[in-house]
Amino acid sequence: ALVACAASAAPTTEAPKPLSFRADAKVEVDSDGKLVKVEASPDLPEGVRRYIEQEVSKWTFKRNPREGEAGNAISYIDLGACAVPTPTGGYSMGLAMHGNGPRIAGGGKWWIAPELQSVVGRYELDQTVTVHFAVQPDGSAKFVSLDGLDANRKAKVAVERAVAAWFRALRFDPEQIGGRPVATQETLPI
């Protein structure tokens, strides 16, 4: 989507169209929830990065206290962005936060394991399930449970096996508190 953003800015005979894309940013907040630092994804164009960092720096955050943990917290926010062409030839942008927590290592993209795709096709599944998983301080992930598919026990077992294998292969940048990575419990609708 970012390539499309750059390409759309080039002069053409067609009027520029609104663009939407996903982005992420690393945020650091102090114990009162006050923002200390924002780093937008380095693969974004400089102007987009600067805009995201300026806008996110205006937001407020609420820390969830953890017993025995002190210091600044680092998390990753998942953003939806929209760029709308202006009459002057530039773009007006907007941001929406879609969530926060650990991110795929290095800011990579989510991918669906072929084994999970195969199971979904084999059982002709067409419903959303919720996966519960834990991200460990070392960035590994562990499948915890699956909500849904209760009417089809055989399919549920097959999906659970495939999801467990998928999460063993994933690596995350974990959240941090006081400069140390921490374990977190996460959910993912799929």
Side-chain angles (χ1 to χ4, degrees):
L2 295 177
V3 174
C5 181
S8 294
T12 66
T13 56
E14 290 184 32
K17 296 182 173 136
L19 306 167
S20 65
F21 57 93
R22 300 294 282 228
D24 68 70
K26 178 179 176 180
V27 294
E28 181 177 348
V29 296
D30 67 16
S31 57
D32 295 324
K34 194 178 269 187
L35 190 64
V36 174
K37 187 176 184 182
V38 179
E39 292 176 18
S41 179
D43 66 338
L44 296 169
E46 176 63 29
V48 174
R49 250 191 352 263
R50 195 170 40 250
Y51 171 80
I52 288 173
E53 290 171 353
Q54 288 172 351
E55 289 303 303
V56 172
S57 70
K58 298 174 188 175
W59 296 358
T60 57
F61 296 84
K62 182 179 183 305
R63 284 276 301 266
N64 292 326
R66 291 173 69 147
E67 192 171 323
E69 304 283 353
N72 289 356
I74 291 176
S75 187
Y76 302 91
I77 55 176
D78 180 25
L79 302 164
C82 182
V84 178
T86 64
T88 60
Y91 284 88
S92 176
M93 289 187 59
L95 289 177
M97 185 169 132
H98 291 287
N100 74 292
R103 70 174 178 186
I104 297 293
K109 304 289 182 224
W110 278 94
W111 55 274
I112 303 295
E115 182 183 347
L116 180 56
Q117 293 175 14
S118 176
V119 168
V120 168
R122 183 174 40 236
Y123 287 97
E124 299 179 355
L125 302 174
D126 64 353
Q127 62 185 335
T128 300
V129 297
T130 301
V131 176
H132 299 272
F133 65 101
V135 173
Q136 303 303 314
D138 67 1
S140 64
K142 182 179 179 188
F143 168 73
V144 175
S145 66
L146 179 85
D147 294 342
L149 298 176
D150 295 328
N152 188 339
R153 182 71 187 140
K154 197 172 181 180
K156 183 170 185 166
V157 169
V159 169
E160 287 173 335
R161 282 191 191 124
V163 168
W166 176 39
F167 273 90
R168 282 192 299 273
L170 290 173
R171 290 295 172 260
F172 290 84
D173 292 328
E175 292 184 299
Q176 299 177 30
I177 298 178
R180 291 190 335 265
V182 296
T184 54
Q185 301 294 316
E186 304 297 327
T187 59
L188 177 70
I190 57 173

